[in-house]
Amino acid sequence: MNLRDFAKLLRARWITVCVTALVVVLGAVVYTLLTTPLYQASTRLFVSTNSGASVSDLYQGNLFSQQRVLSYAELLRGETVAQRTIDKLGLDVSATALQARIKASVKPDTVLIDVQVLDESPVRARDVANTLSDEFVALVNELETPTAGVRPDARVVVEQRASIPTEPVVPNPVRNIAIGLGLGALLGVGLAVLRDLLDNTIKSQEDLEEVTGSSVVGYIPLDKEIRKSPAVAFVSDNSGTAEAFRKLRTNLQFLAVDNPPRVIVLTSSSPAEGKSTTAINIALALAEADHEVVLVDGDMRRPSLAKYLDLVGEVGFSTVLSGAASLTEVLQPTKFPRLSVLAAGPIPPNPSELLGSLAAQKVLSELRAKFDFVIVDSSPLLAVTDGAVLAAGADGALIAARFGKTKRDQLAHAIGNLNHVGASVLGAVMTMMPTRGSGSYSYNYYYGKAHDDQQPKEGVRQEASARHVKTKRASDD
Ligand SMILES: Nc1ncnc2c1ncn2[C@@H]1O[C@H](COP(=O)(O)OP(=O)(O)OP(=O)(O)O)[C@@H](O)[C@H]1O
Ligand SMILES: [Mg+2]
């Protein structure tokens, strides 16, 4: 993973990073709120020794004091002073517990000792610090007086006494939150990378081409409007979605140039991957380019074309197959010019059998003769064989994969099902690609590439293909 991939990953998974950082920061806030505040009171001790009047005596005395302070600091943290302080103040703690709250440090090259005492109560912190220092002064006095009545060798003076601390030193909210933010961001990035490594959904052109073994012919953006009205209004619509279908239309005409596919099945591995919506709009895009198009609902288990296009769903493909009506009787014109629809008809008990029958083949042949393009919507391949059976009888299948939802293994399995029945895969279509936010990077990148490649030649290809189809129909007839 190079830096660019990493940046893309962070853009795609910024929600994971932010949510993790937020959770850890909240944890830090809770920890801060739950931490018992501790106050710190400080005193400063000065160590002096008896020294003579000469310069060398002074120097020796100073050196002696500096050596002394290190031992004094140890003594300050020791049990004796702690116990004396407890006795003096009548505290209800053990000497060890008090020792843990005492810090004594020596400033290098000085004879000063800083004493710090932590306590839940600011007043007690001050009292302990002051009493501890006084007790220490007395202790040093005892220790440094070789015989009673003689001047001690060294003396300690409390140079600065403790006052009542106003602010607790623990917890430190700013530090805790900063640490929480840093750790949270790191953890979030780690999680984002992990999720990316574990994510086996289709999210890029490479993935889709690798798994399907065929090229990507279309990228359909996620469009909220499509949920309300599945048919894109090509006449008035120049949105990204309409453009995407126009590009798909162009690309279709490059598939098998010597024998361009005219009966195309739209299928996918799982439900709700946008098969029906894509089928409708491919048909509309082809109709917009002056082709006569028929849209066939080959999903006899969960038909949706009639519902999506406000048509009669009670008669259709299954009616013709059962012999109850002729094809011309059930073909429905639509409000869109040059687009007819063969709905699914009543749901039969044996769709796979019906779709694989000679009668179904005959219907598709009749439609092929009547129209420039026959676009067949179908059922998901992993659930039933209907889609594969239809694709085997058609010129090939376009396989749809939903961005970030379709899993690589599912798609590979679906391709296996198509290969198994000898159906050819014409190309893959990535559906519901986010146009912004998570994942949009791939969309813009690949879509942009496709766009640049196709844009200048669209008109030329359109005409060439229209001519080709017309010639083909004439020869079929
Ligand atoms: N490009 C898109 N942008 C936004 N929503 C979409 C898009 N394409 C399809 N949808 C929505 O996704 C849902 C499933 O779409 P559709 O019915 O076309 O999928 P399907 O693969 O045919 O499903 P089924 O397997 O049930 O037949 C629908 O609610 C549809 O409106
Ligand atoms: Mg469908």
Side-chain angles (χ1 to χ4, degrees):
M1 184 185 288
N2 60 27
L3 202 64
R4 203 179 138 147
D5 292 338
F6 185 65
K8 281 179 190 170
L9 182 148
L10 289 187
R11 266 191 70 192
R13 299 209 178 267
W14 66 272
I15 295 180
T16 307
V17 179
C18 291
V19 169
T20 316
L22 195 72
V23 168
V24 180
V25 167
L26 281 179
V29 170
V30 172
Y31 172 79
T32 306
L33 291 176
L34 293 181
T35 306
T36 316
L38 287 180
Y39 293 85
Q40 179 175 288
S42 313
T43 62
R44 188 188 284 161
L45 308 180
F46 177 80
V47 179
S48 69
T49 48
N50 285 329
S51 50
S54 73
V55 175
S56 98
D57 283 349
L58 276 173
Y59 177 73
Q60 289 295 334
N62 201 30
L63 209 61
F64 176 70
S65 304
Q66 283 185 13
Q67 285 162 357
R68 271 289 190 271
V69 287
L70 295 171
S71 316
Y72 289 172
E74 282 299 320
L75 283 175
L76 271 162
R77 291 189 288 255
E79 195 181 337
T80 314
V81 193
Q83 191 57 55
R84 285 190 187 188
T85 310
I86 290 168
D87 295 343
K88 184 81 181 255
L89 291 174
L91 299 176
D92 187 20
V93 285
S94 68
T96 330
L98 186 63
Q99 277 175 271
R101 296 193 169 182
I102 298 169
K103 268 198 276 177
S105 53
V106 178
K107 289 207 167 118
D109 297 328
T110 69
V111 290
L112 297 172
I113 306 174
D114 283 324
V115 180
Q116 281 142 358
V117 174
L118 284 174
D119 201 289
E120 286 97 9
S121 144
V123 175
R124 201 163 55 217
R126 176 204 58 183
D127 292 347
V128 171
N130 283 339
T131 311
L132 183 94
S133 303
D134 292 341
E135 289 303 315
F136 182 69
V137 169
L139 180 73
V140 169
N141 214 22
E142 285 166 29
L143 293 176
E144 300 287 3
T145 311
T147 19
V150 178
R151 249 181 101 193
D153 295 336
R155 229 158 47 89
V156 176
V157 183
V158 183
E159 184 264 325
Q160 191 180 302
R161 297 191 74 75
S163 51
I164 299 176
T166 47
E167 293 291 326
V169 286
V170 174
N172 184 336
V174 175
R175 194 193 57 189
N176 287 359
I177 289 171
I179 292 177
L181 193 65
L183 280 182
L186 270 180
L187 194 70
V189 170
L191 266 181
V193 172
L194 189 72
R195 281 191 62 187
D196 206 67
L197 289 177
L198 296 179
D199 184 358
N200 69 343
T201 60
I202 301 288
K203 281 195 164 158
S204 68
Q205 180 186 23
E206 283 99 338
D207 281 352
L208 193 48
E209 288 186 344
E210 190 192 314
V211 179
T212 57
S214 54
S215 44
V216 181
V217 291
Y219 300 91
I220 313 303
L222 186 83
D223 181 351
K224 291 207 176 85
E225 289 301 309
I226 256 187
R227 299 218 166 109
K228 287 183 237 150
S229 117
V232 175
F234 279 86
V235 183
S236 55
D237 197 337
N238 278 320
S239 66
T241 314
E243 267 312 294
F245 281 107
R246 287 191 186 109
K247 276 170 198 126
L248 206 170
R249 170 185 74 200
T250 308
N251 282 347
L252 272 187
Q253 292 152 8
F254 285 104
L255 301 172
V257 275
D258 291 334
N259 189 14
R262 295 202 296 118
V263 182
I264 301 168
V265 174
L266 228 294
T267 188
S268 78
S269 58
S270 313
E273 293 184 317
K275 293 178 288 297
S276 307
T277 311
T278 309
I280 291 173
N281 291 297
I282 291 177
L284 284 172
L286 286 165
E288 189 202 25
D290 278 343
H291 299 300
E292 288 295 331
V293 185
V294 62
L295 192 54
V296 179
D297 200 338
D299 186 349
M300 287 195 183
R301 296 171 199 261
R302 288 172 60 192
S304 49
L305 293 190
K307 188 180 74 190
Y308 282 174
L309 294 172
D310 279 334
L311 297 169
V312 180
E314 286 72 37
V315 288
F317 204 176
S318 64
T319 327
V320 183
L321 295 180
S322 70
S326 72
L327 184 57
T328 35
E329 281 168 338
V330 295
L331 264 183
Q332 300 180 56
T334 61
K335 60 181 175 184
F336 308 100
R338 296 174 292 282
L339 178 68
S340 306
V341 169
L342 177 61
I347 298 175
N350 53 346
S352 307
E353 208 179 298
L354 268 189
L355 293 169
S357 65
L358 280 175
Q361 278 300 310
K362 205 167 143 253
V363 170
L364 289 183
S365 306
E366 270 184 57
L367 292 173
R368 180 197 289 272
K370 272 190 196 323
F371 296 90
D372 298 332
F373 286 95
V374 183
I375 306 295
V376 188
D377 181 23
S378 72
S379 323
L381 290 168
L382 293 187
V384 284
T385 56
D386 304 11
V389 167
L390 273 171
D395 293 342
L398 283 181
I399 185 141
R402 182 170 170 179
F403 180 94
K405 274 273 160 34
T406 307
K407 297 204 164 64
R408 293 172 67 98
D409 45 349
Q410 290 175 336
L411 190 61
H413 199 153
I415 293 288
N417 288 0
L418 286 175
N419 291 340
H420 187 69
V421 295
S424 71
V425 181
L426 298 169
V429 181
M430 181 91 91
T431 61
M432 301 190 226
M433 295 199 68
T435 43
R436 76 171 89 92
S438 146
S440 61
Y441 61 89
S442 329
Y443 169 66
N444 290 334
Y445 179 59
Y446 294 118
Y447 187 66
K449 248 178 36 174
H451 183 93
D452 293 346
D453 293 349
Q454 295 159 16
Q455 196 71 357
K457 298 170 199 148
E458 168 112 9
V460 180
R461 286 170 187 168
Q462 203 70 65
E463 278 172 31
S465 167
R467 273 200 306 277
H468 191 114
V469 169
K470 293 269 183 290
T471 332
K472 177 102 180 96
R473 269 186 68 202
S475 67
D476 284 356
D477 294 344

